Amino acid sequence: MTRKLAISARQVTAICKGAAKASFVVELVINDMVVRLVPDRGATVPAERKNEAIESLEEWKTLQDLPPKVQRHYQNLGYDPATMNNSDYNRLYEEAEAKWLAGIPGTPLTKREQKVLLQFQEHGPGVLVEWRKIKGTGWETEERLVTRGFIEVRYRSRNPDRLEGYVLTEAGFAALEAILT
């Protein structure tokens, strides 16, 4: 019986092809998920250097060594990668997202939200509109409109992970009328 790999075969192939183009030799350890790229000089890696990549990964976990955008993201969440684990990060992220969503209804509509609502003019409330016909609906705009109760998101019955379209609610219709007046 075989175990599922940590990465797909396509990813392994892409890593190997990219390394070959850059004149590197790839050393993969699948179960512990270590990928080591060694310059191709006809020499092998000495045994004393085998754990070097893992040690440098652990050192990289400190907040000072992270890219500035990641540092700001972690600081906004209150997450410290040196002392916290992945479950702490997930919990803090969910708390921050819930706080963000709770604050949306009290804010005025953004330009993008107004633009999306105006596209429902010709359809009216309760009508399913294919997602391709509503332009400018990124994930944030969609989340904001759903949180306000202005639209409902519908997914395909055959493929529940695929978006089918949007339905304007009565509250969304009232907001649309307020924009038009």
Side-chain angles (χ1 to χ4, degrees), residues 31-115:
N31 291 337
D32 295 333
M33 198 52 226
V34 174
V35 176
R36 187 173 292 123
L37 299 175
V38 181
D40 186 14
R41 295 187 202 133
T44 59
V45 178
E48 61 270 4
R49 292 186 56 202
K50 280 211 177 246
N51 290 327
E52 195 172 290
I54 297 172
E55 292 170 4
S56 66
L57 240 165
E58 292 302 318
E59 293 168 7
W60 190 74
K61 282 181 123 181
T62 62
L63 192 59
Q64 298 86 349
D65 297 336
L66 295 173
K69 284 184 178 180
V70 177
Q71 285 181 16
R72 281 192 303 275
H73 174 68
Y74 284 173
Q75 288 171 349
N76 288 340
L77 291 179
Y79 175 73
D80 182 15
T83 60
M84 297 176 155
N85 60 24
N86 199 28
S87 62
D88 293 326
Y89 173 81
N90 290 338
R91 179 183 48 81
L92 290 169
Y93 186 85
E94 288 173 8
E95 289 173 4
E97 187 175 19
K99 184 178 176 184
W100 175 70
L101 289 173
I104 289 174
T107 60
L109 288 173
T110 64
K111 287 181 183 180
R112 289 185 180 177
E113 289 173 297
Q114 292 177 11
K115 228 174 144 178

Coordinates of all heavy atoms in Angstrom, one line a residue, residues 31-115:
N31 N 9.2 12.2 2.6 CA 8.4 12.1 3.9 C 8.6 13.2 4.8 O 7.7 13.7 5.5 CB 8.6 10.7 4.6 CG 8.0 9.6 3.8 OD1 7.1 9.8 3.0 ND2 8.6 8.4 4.0
D32 N 9.9 13.7 4.9 CA 10.2 14.8 5.8 C 10.1 16.1 5.0 O 10.4 17.2 5.6 CB 11.5 14.6 6.4 CG 11.6 13.5 7.4 OD1 10.5 13.1 7.9 OD2 12.7 12.9 7.6
M33 N 9.8 16.0 3.7 CA 9.7 17.2 2.8 C 10.9 18.1 2.8 O 10.7 19.3 3.1 CB 8.4 17.9 3.2 CG 7.8 18.8 2.1 SD 7.6 18.0 0.6 CE 8.4 19.2 -0.5
V34 N 12.0 17.6 2.5 CA 13.2 18.4 2.4 C 13.6 18.4 1.0 O 13.7 17.4 0.3 CB 14.4 17.9 3.3 CG1 15.7 18.6 3.0 CG2 14.0 17.9 4.7
V35 N 13.8 19.6 0.4 CA 14.2 19.7 -1.0 C 15.6 20.5 -0.9 O 15.6 21.6 -0.4 CB 13.2 20.5 -1.9 CG1 13.8 20.7 -3.3 CG2 11.9 19.8 -1.9
R36 N 16.6 19.9 -1.4 CA 17.9 20.5 -1.4 C 18.4 20.7 -2.8 O 18.5 19.7 -3.6 CB 18.9 19.7 -0.5 CG 20.2 20.3 -0.3 CD 21.0 19.5 0.7 NE 20.4 19.6 2.0 CZ 20.1 18.5 2.7 NH1 20.3 17.3 2.2 NH2 19.6 18.6 3.9
L37 N 18.8 21.9 -3.2 CA 19.4 22.1 -4.5 C 20.9 22.3 -4.3 O 21.3 23.2 -3.6 CB 18.8 23.4 -5.1 CG 17.3 23.3 -5.4 CD1 16.7 24.6 -5.9 CD2 17.0 22.2 -6.4
V38 N 21.7 21.5 -5.0 CA 23.2 21.6 -4.9 C 23.7 22.0 -6.3 O 23.3 21.4 -7.3 CB 23.7 20.2 -4.5 CG1 25.2 20.3 -4.3 CG2 23.1 19.8 -3.2
P39 N 24.6 22.9 -6.4 CA 25.2 23.2 -7.7 C 25.9 22.0 -8.3 O 26.5 21.2 -7.6 CB 26.3 24.3 -7.3 CG 25.9 24.9 -6.0 CD 25.1 23.8 -5.3
D40 N 25.7 21.8 -9.5 CA 26.2 20.6 -10.2 C 27.6 20.8 -10.6 O 27.9 21.4 -11.6 CB 25.3 20.3 -11.5 CG 25.7 19.0 -12.1 OD1 26.4 18.2 -11.5 OD2 25.3 18.8 -13.3
R41 N 28.5 20.3 -9.8 CA 29.9 20.4 -10.1 C 30.6 19.0 -10.1 O 31.8 18.9 -10.0 CB 30.6 21.3 -9.0 CG 30.2 22.7 -9.0 CD 31.0 23.5 -8.1 NE 30.3 24.7 -7.7 CZ 30.1 25.2 -6.5 NH1 30.7 24.6 -5.5 NH2 29.4 26.3 -6.3
G42 N 29.7 18.0 -10.2 CA 30.2 16.7 -10.2 C 30.5 16.2 -8.8 O 31.0 15.0 -8.7
A43 N 30.4 17.0 -7.8 CA 30.7 16.5 -6.4 C 29.4 16.3 -5.6 O 28.4 16.8 -5.9 CB 31.5 17.6 -5.7
T44 N 29.5 15.5 -4.6 CA 28.3 15.2 -3.8 C 28.4 16.0 -2.5 O 29.5 16.6 -2.2 CB 28.2 13.7 -3.4 OG1 29.4 13.4 -2.7 CG2 28.1 12.8 -4.6
V45 N 27.3 16.1 -1.8 CA 27.3 16.9 -0.6 C 27.9 16.1 0.5 O 27.5 14.9 0.7 CB 25.8 17.3 -0.2 CG1 25.8 18.1 1.1 CG2 25.2 18.0 -1.4
P46 N 28.9 16.7 1.3 CA 29.5 16.0 2.4 C 28.4 15.6 3.4 O 27.5 16.3 3.6 CB 30.5 16.9 2.9 CG 30.7 18.0 1.9 CD 29.5 18.0 1.1
A47 N 28.6 14.5 4.1 CA 27.7 14.0 5.1 C 27.5 15.0 6.3 O 26.4 15.2 6.8 CB 28.2 12.7 5.7
E48 N 28.5 15.8 6.6 CA 28.4 16.7 7.7 C 27.5 17.9 7.4 O 27.1 18.7 8.3 CB 29.8 17.2 8.2 CG 30.6 18.0 7.2 CD 31.5 17.0 6.4 OE1 31.5 15.8 6.6 OE2 32.3 17.6 5.6
R49 N 27.3 18.2 6.1 CA 26.4 19.3 5.7 C 25.0 18.9 5.4 O 24.2 19.7 5.0 CB 27.0 19.9 4.4 CG 28.3 20.6 4.7 CD 28.8 21.4 3.5 NE 27.8 22.3 3.0 CZ 27.8 22.8 1.8 NH1 28.7 22.4 0.9 NH2 26.9 23.7 1.4
K50 N 24.6 17.6 5.7 CA 23.3 17.2 5.3 C 22.1 17.9 6.0 O 21.1 18.1 5.5 CB 23.2 15.6 5.6 CG 23.8 14.8 4.5 CD 23.1 13.5 4.3 CE 23.7 12.8 3.2 NZ 22.8 12.6 2.1
N51 N 22.3 18.3 7.3 CA 21.3 18.9 8.0 C 21.3 20.4 8.0 O 20.6 21.1 8.7 CB 21.3 18.4 9.5 CG 20.9 17.0 9.6 OD1 20.0 16.5 8.9 ND2 21.4 16.3 10.6
E52 N 22.2 21.0 7.2 CA 22.4 22.4 7.1 C 21.1 23.1 6.7 O 20.8 24.2 7.2 CB 23.5 22.7 6.1 CG 24.0 24.1 6.2 CD 25.3 24.3 5.3 OE1 26.3 23.7 5.6 OE2 25.1 24.9 4.3
A53 N 20.4 22.6 5.7 CA 19.2 23.3 5.2 C 18.1 23.3 6.3 O 17.4 24.3 6.5 CB 18.6 22.6 4.0
I54 N 17.9 22.3 7.1 CA 16.9 22.2 8.1 C 17.3 23.2 9.2 O 16.4 23.9 9.7 CB 16.8 20.8 8.7 CG1 16.3 19.9 7.6 CG2 15.9 20.8 9.9 CD1 16.3 18.4 7.9
E55 N 18.5 23.3 9.6 CA 18.9 24.3 10.6 C 18.7 25.7 10.1 O 18.2 26.5 10.9 CB 20.4 24.1 11.0 CG 20.7 22.8 11.7 CD 22.2 22.5 11.8 OE1 23.0 23.3 11.4 OE2 22.5 21.4 12.3
S56 N 19.0 26.0 8.9 CA 18.8 27.4 8.4 C 17.3 27.7 8.3 O 16.9 28.8 8.5 CB 19.4 27.6 7.1 OG 18.8 26.7 6.1
L57 N 16.4 26.7 8.1 CA 15.0 26.9 8.1 C 14.5 27.2 9.5 O 13.7 28.1 9.6 CB 14.3 25.6 7.6 CG 13.4 25.7 6.4 CD1 13.1 24.3 5.8 CD2 12.2 26.5 6.6
E58 N 15.0 26.6 10.5 CA 14.7 26.9 11.9 C 15.1 28.3 12.2 O 14.4 29.0 12.9 CB 15.2 25.9 12.8 CG 14.7 24.5 12.7 CD 13.2 24.5 12.9 OE1 12.7 25.1 13.8 OE2 12.5 23.8 12.1
E59 N 16.3 28.7 11.8 CA 16.8 30.0 12.1 C 15.9 31.1 11.4 O 15.7 32.2 11.9 CB 18.2 30.2 11.6 CG 19.2 29.4 12.4 CD 20.6 29.3 11.7 OE1 20.8 30.0 10.7 OE2 21.4 28.5 12.2
W60 N 15.4 30.8 10.2 CA 14.6 31.7 9.4 C 13.3 32.0 10.1 O 12.6 33.0 9.8 CB 14.4 31.1 8.0 CG 13.8 32.1 7.1 CD1 14.4 33.1 6.5 CD2 12.4 32.1 6.6 NE1 13.5 33.8 5.6 CE2 12.3 33.2 5.7 CE3 11.3 31.3 6.8 CZ2 11.1 33.5 5.0 CZ3 10.2 31.6 6.1 CH2 10.1 32.7 5.3
K61 N 12.8 31.2 11.0 CA 11.5 31.3 11.6 C 11.5 32.6 12.5 O 10.4 33.0 12.9 CB 11.2 30.1 12.5 CG 10.7 28.9 11.6 CD 10.3 27.8 12.5 CE 8.9 27.4 12.3 NZ 8.5 26.3 13.2
T62 N 12.6 33.1 12.9 CA 12.6 34.3 13.8 C 12.0 35.5 13.0 O 12.1 35.6 11.8 CB 14.0 34.7 14.3 OG1 14.8 35.0 13.1 CG2 14.6 33.6 15.1
L63 N 11.2 36.3 13.7 CA 10.5 37.4 13.0 C 11.4 38.4 12.3 O 11.0 39.0 11.3 CB 9.7 38.1 14.1 CG 8.6 39.1 13.6 CD1 7.6 38.4 12.7 CD2 7.9 39.7 14.8
Q64 N 12.6 38.6 12.8 CA 13.5 39.6 12.2 C 13.9 39.2 10.8 O 14.2 40.0 9.9 CB 14.7 39.9 13.0 CG 14.5 40.4 14.4 CD 14.2 39.3 15.4 OE1 14.0 38.2 15.1 NE2 14.1 39.7 16.7
D65 N 14.0 37.9 10.5 CA 14.5 37.4 9.2 C 13.4 37.3 8.2 O 13.6 37.0 7.0 CB 15.1 36.0 9.4 CG 16.3 36.1 10.3 OD1 16.9 37.1 10.4 OD2 16.7 35.0 10.9
L66 N 12.1 37.5 8.6 CA 11.0 37.4 7.6 C 10.9 38.6 6.7 O 11.3 39.7 7.1 CB 9.7 37.2 8.4 CG 9.6 35.9 9.2 CD1 8.3 36.0 10.0 CD2 9.5 34.7 8.3
P67 N 10.3 38.5 5.6 CA 10.1 39.7 4.7 C 9.2 40.7 5.4 O 8.4 40.3 6.2 CB 9.4 39.1 3.5 CG 9.8 37.6 3.5 CD 9.9 37.3 4.9
P68 N 9.4 42.0 5.1 CA 8.6 43.0 5.8 C 7.1 42.8 5.7 O 6.4 43.1 6.7 CB 9.0 44.3 5.1 CG 10.4 44.0 4.5 CD 10.4 42.6 4.1
K69 N 6.6 42.4 4.6 CA 5.1 42.2 4.5 C 4.6 41.1 5.4 O 3.6 41.2 6.1 CB 4.7 41.8 3.1 CG 4.7 43.0 2.1 CD 4.2 42.6 0.7 CE 4.1 43.7 -0.2 NZ 3.6 43.4 -1.5
V70 N 5.4 40.0 5.5 CA 5.1 38.9 6.4 C 5.2 39.4 7.9 O 4.3 39.1 8.7 CB 6.0 37.7 6.2 CG1 5.7 36.6 7.1 CG2 5.8 37.2 4.7
Q71 N 6.2 40.2 8.2 CA 6.4 40.7 9.5 C 5.1 41.6 9.9 O 4.6 41.4 11.0 CB 7.6 41.6 9.6 CG 8.9 40.9 9.6 CD 10.1 41.9 9.7 OE1 9.9 43.0 10.1 NE2 11.3 41.4 9.5
R72 N 4.7 42.5 9.0 CA 3.5 43.3 9.3 C 2.3 42.5 9.5 O 1.5 42.7 10.4 CB 3.3 44.3 8.2 CG 4.2 45.5 8.3 CD 3.8 46.6 7.3 NE 3.7 46.2 5.9 CZ 4.7 46.2 5.1 NH1 5.9 46.5 5.5 NH2 4.5 45.8 3.8
H73 N 2.1 41.5 8.7 CA 1.0 40.6 8.8 C 1.0 39.9 10.1 O -0.1 39.8 10.8 CB 1.0 39.6 7.6 CG -0.1 38.5 7.7 ND1 -1.4 38.8 7.5 CD2 0.0 37.2 8.0 CE1 -2.1 37.7 7.7 NE2 -1.3 36.7 7.9
Y74 N 2.1 39.3 10.5 CA 2.2 38.6 11.8 C 2.0 39.6 12.9 O 1.3 39.2 13.9 CB 3.5 37.9 11.9 CG 3.7 36.6 11.1 CD1 4.9 36.0 11.1 CD2 2.6 36.0 10.5 CE1 5.1 34.8 10.4 CE2 2.8 34.9 9.8 CZ 4.0 34.3 9.7 OH 4.2 33.1 9.0
Q75 N 2.5 40.8 12.9 CA 2.3 41.7 14.0 C 0.9 42.2 14.1 O 0.4 42.3 15.2 CB 3.3 42.9 13.8 CG 4.7 42.6 14.0 CD 5.7 43.7 13.6 OE1 5.3 44.6 12.9 NE2 6.9 43.6 14.0
N76 N 0.2 42.3 12.9 CA -1.2 42.7 13.0 C -2.1 41.6 13.6 O -3.1 41.9 14.3 CB -1.7 43.0 11.6 CG -1.2 44.3 11.0 OD1 -0.7 45.2 11.8 ND2 -1.2 44.4 9.7
L77 N -1.7 40.4 13.4 CA -2.4 39.3 14.0 C -2.0 39.1 15.5 O -2.8 38.5 16.2 CB -2.1 38.0 13.2 CG -2.7 37.9 11.8 CD1 -2.3 36.5 11.2 CD2 -4.2 38.0 11.8
G78 N -0.8 39.5 15.8 CA -0.3 39.2 17.2 C 0.4 37.8 17.2 O 0.4 37.1 18.3
Y79 N 0.9 37.4 16.1 CA 1.5 36.0 16.0 C 3.0 36.1 16.0 O 3.6 37.0 15.4 CB 1.0 35.4 14.6 CG 1.7 34.1 14.3 CD1 1.3 32.9 15.0 CD2 2.6 34.0 13.4 CE1 1.9 31.7 14.7 CE2 3.2 32.7 13.0 CZ 2.8 31.6 13.8 OH 3.4 30.4 13.5
D80 N 3.6 35.2 16.8 CA 5.1 35.2 16.9 C 5.5 33.8 16.5 O 5.2 32.8 17.2 CB 5.5 35.4 18.3 CG 7.0 35.4 18.5 OD1 7.7 35.4 17.4 OD2 7.5 35.3 19.6
P81 N 6.1 33.6 15.3 CA 6.5 32.3 14.8 C 7.5 31.5 15.6 O 7.5 30.3 15.6 CB 7.0 32.6 13.4 CG 7.4 34.0 13.4 CD 6.5 34.7 14.4
A82 N 8.2 32.3 16.4 CA 9.2 31.6 17.3 C 8.6 30.9 18.5 O 9.1 29.9 18.9 CB 10.2 32.6 17.8
T83 N 7.5 31.4 19.0 CA 6.9 30.8 20.2 C 5.5 30.2 19.9 O 5.0 29.5 20.8 CB 6.7 31.9 21.3 OG1 5.9 33.0 20.8 CG2 8.1 32.5 21.7
M84 N 4.9 30.4 18.8 CA 3.5 29.9 18.5 C 3.6 28.9 17.4 O 4.5 28.9 16.6 CB 2.6 31.1 18.1 CG 2.4 32.1 19.2 SD 1.4 33.4 18.6 CE 0.7 34.0 20.1
N85 N 2.5 28.1 17.3 CA 2.5 27.1 16.2 C 1.4 27.4 15.2 O 0.8 28.5 15.3 CB 2.3 25.7 16.8 CG 1.0 25.6 17.6 OD1 0.1 26.3 17.4 ND2 1.0 24.6 18.5
N86 N 1.2 26.5 14.3 CA 0.2 26.8 13.2 C -1.2 26.9 13.7 O -2.0 27.7 13.1 CB 0.4 25.6 12.2 CG -0.2 26.0 10.8 OD1 -0.2 27.2 10.5 ND2 -0.7 25.0 10.1
S87 N -1.6 26.2 14.7 CA -2.9 26.3 15.2 C -3.2 27.6 15.8 O -4.3 28.2 15.7 CB -3.2 25.1 16.2 OG -2.4 25.2 17.3
D88 N -2.1 28.2 16.5 CA -2.2 29.6 17.0 C -2.5 30.6 15.9 O -3.3 31.5 16.0 CB -1.0 29.9 17.8 CG -0.8 29.1 19.1 OD1 -1.9 28.8 19.7 OD2 0.3 28.8 19.5
Y89 N -1.7 30.4 14.8 CA -1.8 31.3 13.7 C -3.2 31.2 13.1 O -3.9 32.2 12.8 CB -0.8 30.9 12.6 CG -1.0 31.7 11.3 CD1 -0.6 33.0 11.2 CD2 -1.8 31.2 10.2 CE1 -0.8 33.7 10.0 CE2 -2.0 31.9 9.1 CZ -1.5 33.2 9.0 OH -1.8 33.9 7.8
N90 N -3.8 30.0 12.9 CA -5.1 29.8 12.4 C -6.2 30.4 13.3 O -7.1 31.1 12.8 CB -5.4 28.3 12.2 CG -4.6 27.7 11.0 OD1 -4.1 28.4 10.2 ND2 -4.4 26.4 11.1
R91 N -6.0 30.3 14.6 CA -7.0 30.9 15.5 C -6.9 32.4 15.4 O -8.0 33.1 15.4 CB -6.6 30.4 16.9 CG -7.5 31.0 18.0 CD -7.1 30.5 19.4 NE -5.7 30.7 19.7 CZ -5.1 31.8 20.0 NH1 -5.8 32.9 20.1 NH2 -3.8 31.9 20.3
L92 N -5.7 33.0 15.4 CA -5.6 34.4 15.4 C -6.1 35.0 14.1 O -6.7 36.0 14.0 CB -4.1 34.8 15.6 CG -3.5 34.6 17.0 CD1 -2.0 34.8 17.0 CD2 -4.2 35.6 18.0
Y93 N -5.9 34.3 13.0 CA -6.3 34.7 11.7 C -7.9 34.7 11.6 O -8.5 35.6 11.1 CB -5.8 33.8 10.6 CG -6.1 34.3 9.2 CD1 -5.3 35.3 8.6 CD2 -7.2 33.8 8.5 CE1 -5.6 35.7 7.3 CE2 -7.5 34.3 7.2 CZ -6.7 35.2 6.6 OH -7.0 35.7 5.4
E94 N -8.5 33.6 12.1 CA -9.9 33.6 12.2 C -10.5 34.7 13.0 O -11.6 35.2 12.7 CB -10.4 32.2 12.6 CG -10.1 31.1 11.6 CD -10.4 29.7 12.1 OE1 -10.9 29.6 13.3 OE2 -10.1 28.7 11.4
E95 N -9.9 35.0 14.2 CA -10.4 36.0 15.0 C -10.3 37.4 14.3 O -11.2 38.2 14.4 CB -9.6 36.1 16.3 CG -9.8 35.0 17.3 CD -8.9 34.9 18.5 OE1 -8.1 35.9 18.6 OE2 -9.0 34.0 19.3
A96 N -9.2 37.6 13.6 CA -9.0 38.9 12.9 C -10.0 39.0 11.8 O -10.6 40.1 11.5 CB -7.6 39.0 12.3
E97 N -10.3 37.9 11.1 CA -11.3 37.9 10.0 C -12.7 38.2 10.5 O -13.4 39.0 9.9 CB -11.2 36.6 9.2 CG -12.1 36.7 7.9 CD -11.9 35.4 7.1 OE1 -11.5 34.4 7.6 OE2 -12.3 35.5 5.9
A98 N -13.0 37.6 11.6 CA -14.3 37.8 12.2 C -14.5 39.2 12.7 O -15.6 39.8 12.5 CB -14.5 36.8 13.4
K99 N -13.5 39.8 13.2 CA -13.5 41.2 13.6 C -13.7 42.1 12.4 O -14.5 43.1 12.4 CB -12.2 41.6 14.4 CG -12.2 42.9 14.9 CD -10.9 43.2 15.7 CE -10.8 44.6 16.2 NZ -9.5 44.9 16.8
W100 N -13.0 41.8 11.3 CA -13.1 42.6 10.1 C -14.5 42.5 9.5 O -15.1 43.5 9.2 CB -12.1 42.1 9.0 CG -12.2 42.7 7.7 CD1 -11.9 44.0 7.4 CD2 -12.7 42.1 6.5 NE1 -12.1 44.2 6.0 CE2 -12.6 43.1 5.5 CE3 -13.1 40.8 6.2 CZ2 -13.0 42.8 4.2 CZ3 -13.5 40.6 4.9 CH2 -13.4 41.6 3.9
L101 N -15.1 41.3 9.5 CA -16.4 41.1 8.9 C -17.5 41.8 9.8 O -18.4 42.3 9.3 CB -16.7 39.6 8.8 CG -16.0 38.8 7.7 CD1 -16.3 37.4 7.8 CD2 -16.4 39.4 6.3
A102 N -17.2 41.8 11.1 CA -18.2 42.4 12.0 C -18.2 43.9 11.8 O -19.2 44.6 12.1 CB -17.8 42.1 13.5
G103 N -17.1 44.5 11.4 CA -17.0 46.0 11.2 C -17.6 46.5 9.9 O -17.8 47.7 9.7
I104 N -17.8 45.6 9.0 CA -18.2 46.0 7.6 C -19.6 46.7 7.6 O -19.8 47.7 7.0 CB -18.2 44.8 6.7 CG1 -16.7 44.4 6.4 CG2 -18.9 45.1 5.4 CD1 -16.5 43.2 5.6
P105 N -20.6 46.1 8.2 CA -22.0 46.7 8.1 C -22.1 48.2 8.5 O -22.9 48.9 8.0 CB -22.9 45.9 9.0 CG -22.2 44.5 9.0 CD -20.7 44.9 9.0
G106 N -21.2 48.7 9.4 CA -21.3 50.1 9.8 C -20.5 51.0 9.0 O -20.6 52.2 9.2
T107 N -19.9 50.6 7.9 CA -19.1 51.4 7.0 C -19.9 51.7 5.8 O -20.8 51.0 5.3 CB -17.8 50.8 6.6 OG1 -18.0 49.5 6.0 CG2 -16.9 50.5 7.9
P108 N -19.6 52.9 5.1 CA -20.3 53.2 3.9 C -19.8 52.3 2.7 O -18.7 51.7 2.8 CB -19.9 54.6 3.6 CG -18.7 54.9 4.4 CD -18.7 54.0 5.6
L109 N -20.6 52.2 1.7 CA -20.3 51.3 0.6 C -19.1 51.9 -0.2 O -18.9 53.1 -0.3 CB -21.4 51.3 -0.5 CG -22.7 50.5 -0.1 CD1 -23.8 50.7 -1.1 CD2 -22.4 49.0 0.0
T110 N -18.2 51.0 -0.6 CA -17.0 51.4 -1.4 C -17.4 51.6 -2.8 O -18.5 51.2 -3.2 CB -15.9 50.3 -1.3 OG1 -16.4 49.1 -1.9 CG2 -15.5 50.1 0.2
K111 N -16.5 52.2 -3.6 CA -16.8 52.4 -5.0 C -17.0 51.0 -5.7 O -17.9 50.9 -6.6 CB -15.7 53.1 -5.7 CG -15.6 54.6 -5.4 CD -14.4 55.2 -6.1 CE -14.2 56.7 -5.7 NZ -13.1 57.3 -6.4
R112 N -16.2 50.1 -5.4 CA -16.4 48.8 -6.0 C -17.7 48.1 -5.7 O -18.3 47.5 -6.5 CB -15.2 47.8 -5.6 CG -13.9 48.3 -6.3 CD -12.8 47.4 -6.0 NE -11.6 47.9 -6.6 CZ -10.4 47.3 -6.6 NH1 -10.3 46.2 -5.8 NH2 -9.4 47.8 -7.2
E113 N -18.1 48.2 -4.4 CA -19.4 47.6 -4.0 C -20.5 48.3 -4.8 O -21.5 47.7 -5.3 CB -19.6 47.8 -2.5 CG -18.7 46.9 -1.7 CD -18.8 47.3 -0.2 OE1 -18.5 48.4 0.2 OE2 -19.3 46.4 0.5
Q114 N -20.5 49.6 -4.9 CA -21.5 50.4 -5.7 C -21.5 49.9 -7.1 O -22.6 49.7 -7.7 CB -21.3 51.9 -5.6 CG -21.5 52.4 -4.2 CD -21.2 53.9 -4.1 OE1 -21.0 54.6 -5.1 NE2 -21.1 54.4 -2.9
K115 N -20.3 49.8 -7.7 CA -20.2 49.4 -9.1 C -20.8 48.0 -9.3 O -21.5 47.8 -10.3 CB -18.7 49.3 -9.5 CG -18.3 50.0 -10.8 CD -16.8 50.0 -10.9 CE -16.5 49.8 -12.3 NZ -15.0 49.8 -12.6

